[in-house]
Each structure stands twice: as C-alpha cells, then as structure tokens.
Amino acid sequence: MVEQFKRRDFLRGCAAIGGAVAAGSFTCIEIAKAAAIDIPVVDKLSIRVLIDGSQNIFERPGKVGNVSIEPAPRQQDYRRPLHNQWGLSLYLQSQRGDEQRTIMLDFGYTPEALLNNIELTGADPSKINALVVSHGHFDHYGGLVGFLQKYRSALPADVKLYAGGEDNFCQRYSGAPGALAEFGALDRRELVANKVSVVLAENPTVVADHAFTTGKIKRSGIERVLPNTHVGFAVKDGLGCNASHYLPAEMLGKIVPDEHIHEHATCFNVKDRGLVVISSCGHVGIVNSVRQAQEVSGVQKIHAIVGGFHLGPAPEDYLNQVVAEIKKLEPDVIIPMHCSGDNFARAVRAQLPDKLLVSTTGVRMTMGA
C-alpha cells in the first residue's frame, strides 16, 4: 500500500504542474505537450472487463486468432454475483520484459457495481499506475469518486487521471430538445479532494510508459456523431467546463448537441502483433479513432479494435458502411463492448466472421506472447 501523504505536499506538487484556470476552479492540471511522442512497445497486454452490460456464465476459455479469452472467475459466495450495467470499465495490464504496468480505463455507471466487481474479479487497485477517462458521459466516470474514496491510499501518491480535454468536464444533458434532463458532470472538486491531478491529453500522450492516447481525433470519411446527449459549455460554482480556449465566444454558456470534442482512445503497440485500439464509446467514429492511432504511432498494423463503438442506434445502411471501412483496416480481432450494439455484432459476423470476439463482464482477454 502507498504511504499516506500530506495534503500540503500534494498541493505543492499541483502548483508545480501549473496550468491556468479560472479562480475557484480546479488548479491541479497538466496540459499534454504538442511534441511528437515515442510510442512504447509492450510484449503482452491483458484486458479485464470490470463493467459491461451483460455476463455469460457459460463462457469457456477460447481463442480468436492470437487473442485468448478466459471466463470470469468463479465466485466463492453464490450470494455475490458480478454486477452488469450500462457503462464500461477496463483493467489493463501490460508487460514489457520484467516490467508491468496497470491502467484503469473508465469506471462504469455506479461505484457499487465497480467496487463489487473489483473484489470478485481479483483486480488489484494497488497495482494501478494511471487512470484514464475516455469522455464525459456518466456511464464512464460514475464510479470514479466512489472508487477513489475506497482505494485512493492504495494508488501512487502522484497518480494522474488522463482526460481527453476540458470538454470531459462539461455538464451533459439527456433527452430531446425542450425536455432535457441533467446527465451529470465530472466534478474536479472531487478530484482535488481525493488528491488526483489531471492531464488534459488533447495531444497524443504516453501513459504509464506502456500505453498512449490518441489525443483529439480527426474526423474524416463517412463517420458521423450519432445523436446522443447535449452539452453545456459553462462553469458554475466550480462545476462544468471552461471551453474558451477551443470554442468561439458565442458558444459559451449554451447547451448544444454533443460532438465529444475531446473523446480519445487508449492504445497499445504489442510487439509482433500491432496496435490495440480501445475506444470506450467511439462517438467520433471507430474508424476515425483507429486511423488517428495509426497516424500518431506510425504503426499501420491493427491487431485488435476493442470497446464501445456507439453503433447500437445506427441505421442498417450506415452500419454496413462502417463495418466495410473496418474491414479495410484489416484488424486481426474485433471485440465490441458496451454501446456497440447487437446489430454491429451481427454485421461483423456477416462480413468478417473469423474476426469477432464477444466479451462480457468479468472476462479477461490476453494479447501477445
């Protein structure tokens, strides 16, 4: 367990990082540099699914291509099942020689489900080196504060949360225009209270020496942001986002359809296999996300495309177009989760039947040697 540390020392460290924001708002911020990054290579990667929407208790060990899958651990207490919910959380462990790194990507919808599943899967918070939040939807950060309240002392004293940019902290709204309901905002005051600093990774960034994020994803080709939430660009009483550095002044304070300006993907370059691109929701387009990872890394080979692709609400013609574009990327394995949709899985079975690996809550997938 990491030694407890003094709040004064934490704030001194935050001050050293710098980063100017409005008075009274979050001050412990680091901005990722725009310089090119050296893409790390790992020997092995395992992905434990802590939270997803379903569980297959009949799962058996198997393999698709060079990717193996193990079922969720059998529970000793029949009264404590794994919890499934709308959301996603992944426990990522990578190996390079004798060196191991662990990254937690997203935190599900509720702390109750996340904490339960951490215990039942045997995921070890004391091994975590870094935290990543993919974008500003509650079903990806809802369990974060509860996780920190329980496990903060087990994490490194200087642990960082990598967010794609300021947009991750905006207030979201769900529903139709004229009948919008609040859908939460990631509260940086809670991060300060739990002594977690933030890296705004608008630019590609190396995470924990083993992974990298894509930074802001370019939008090209056929993909578009399908209808989802609305977003408000404002800060009130320390909650919300300061979007003045990337949006025109007339946008500030308005509630508009959500374009997920700073959604980013988390990626690994696995030795002799290629890129593993993890798109937690893929609102900006899963093909766009993969192409961004290729551009950032200079690596063209795609080993696995993993995560939520937000194609559940896609009309059939558009869905088939996207799958056709994925086919052109020539991935070894496609692993849809969360919001990808049963329709997407069916389309992949039709067009790339030997590429599909179906994962559910609790399973672990392993890539590399």
Side-chain angles (χ1 to χ4, degrees):
M1 301 287 277
V2 177
E3 281 188 324
Q4 291 287 348
F5 46 90
K6 297 179 181 178
R7 178 173 174 80
R8 180 181 61 188
D9 294 334
F10 170 77
L11 293 176
R12 185 184 299 124
C14 290
I17 289 173
V21 291
S25 62
F26 187 61
T27 57
C28 189
I29 282 185
E30 178 179 352
I31 307 296
K33 296 179 181 178
I37 59 174
D38 292 327
I39 301 299
V41 179
V42 300
D43 299 321
K44 184 177 178 181
L45 171 66
S46 75
I47 301 174
R48 173 74 76 182
V49 183
L50 295 178
I51 295 285
D52 203 347
S54 65
Q55 182 191 1
N56 179 9
I57 64 171
F58 304 115
E59 185 76 57
R60 296 292 182 266
K63 205 167 189 180
V64 174
N66 288 315
V67 178
S68 62
I69 184 168
E70 305 167 38
R74 285 193 173 275
Q75 306 310 320
Q76 300 302 311
D77 184 347
Y78 68 90
R79 294 163 296 188
R80 288 195 64 193
L82 288 168
H83 293 338
N84 307 300
Q85 61 181 201
W86 184 256
L88 192 66
S89 180
L90 304 176
Y91 183 83
L92 311 173
Q93 290 186 293
S94 53
Q95 191 85 28
R96 183 172 58 200
D98 295 331
E99 179 184 83
Q100 188 177 79
R101 294 287 186 270
T102 302
I103 296 169
M104 193 159 173
L105 169 59
D106 288 347
F107 307 89
Y109 206 109
T110 67
E112 292 79 12
L114 181 60
L115 298 178
N116 177 77
N117 291 3
I118 285 173
E119 292 182 18
L120 296 184
T121 60
D124 185 352
S126 71
K127 293 183 177 180
I128 291 173
N129 302 103
L131 310 171
V132 179
V133 61
S134 61
H135 65 297
H137 271 171
F138 193 86
D139 50 317
H140 293 262
Y141 69 79
L144 173 58
V145 173
F147 167 79
L148 292 173
Q149 289 172 343
K150 181 164 184 176
Y151 289 117
R152 181 61 185 94
S153 62
L155 303 176
D158 60 350
V159 71
K160 291 180 172 62
L161 174 70
Y162 291 81
E166 180 68 14
D167 173 74
N168 282 240
F169 300 96
C170 295
Q171 175 71 55
R172 256 73 189 185
Y173 300 86
S174 62
L180 294 176
E182 288 192 4
F183 189 46
L186 180 52
D187 192 341
R188 288 176 289 197
R189 296 169 299 187
E190 295 282 3
L191 300 178
V192 171
N194 285 284
K195 309 177 182 68
V196 173
S197 59
V198 173
V199 177
L200 295 183
E202 299 179 15
N203 296 301
T205 307
V206 173
V207 180
D209 301 321
H210 279 203
F212 68 97
T213 70
T214 56
K216 188 176 180 180
I217 296 169
K218 296 177 183 176
R219 298 158 196 233
S220 60
I222 66 162
E223 292 178 297
R224 61 184 184 268
V225 178
L226 297 178
N228 57 100
T229 53
H230 281 64
V231 59
F233 295 109
V235 179
K236 183 177 181 181
D237 300 327
L239 183 67
C241 60
N242 178 1
S244 60
H245 72 294
Y246 63 85
L247 284 178
E250 58 266 26
M251 294 292 291
L252 304 184
K254 290 189 175 182
I255 298 175
V256 296
D258 202 341
E259 290 291 327
H260 297 283
I261 298 168
H262 289 132
E263 183 175 2
H264 59 165
T266 303
C267 311
F268 292 83
N269 184 15
V270 180
K271 184 179 179 180
D272 299 327
R273 296 283 189 265
L275 294 179
V276 176
V277 181
I278 306 172
S279 169
S280 296
C281 233
H283 290 284
V284 300
I286 184 56
V287 176
N288 286 338
S289 301
V290 173
R291 287 176 177 159
Q292 182 74 18
Q294 290 174 316
E295 180 179 331
V296 166
S297 66
V299 178
Q300 296 305 303
K301 174 58 184 171
I302 303 301
H303 183 42
I305 305 174
V306 185
F309 308 151
H310 201 70
L311 290 165
E316 185 176 1
D317 58 344
Y318 175 70
L319 174 66
N320 288 329
Q321 284 182 296
V322 173
V323 174
E325 291 299 309
I326 292 174
K327 187 174 182 178
K328 293 177 185 177
L329 296 169
E330 299 182 338
D332 294 331
V333 181
I334 301 167
I335 310 174
M337 301 174 178
H338 181 40
C339 56
S340 300
D342 292 340
N343 53 341
F344 175 78
R346 289 193 298 270
V348 173
R349 281 195 181 98
Q351 295 192 42
L352 299 98
D354 60 336
K355 306 290 188 182
L356 181 65
L357 193 162
V358 177
S359 81
T360 57
T361 301
V363 304
R364 180 169 63 186
M365 293 155 288
T366 302
M367 304 155 189

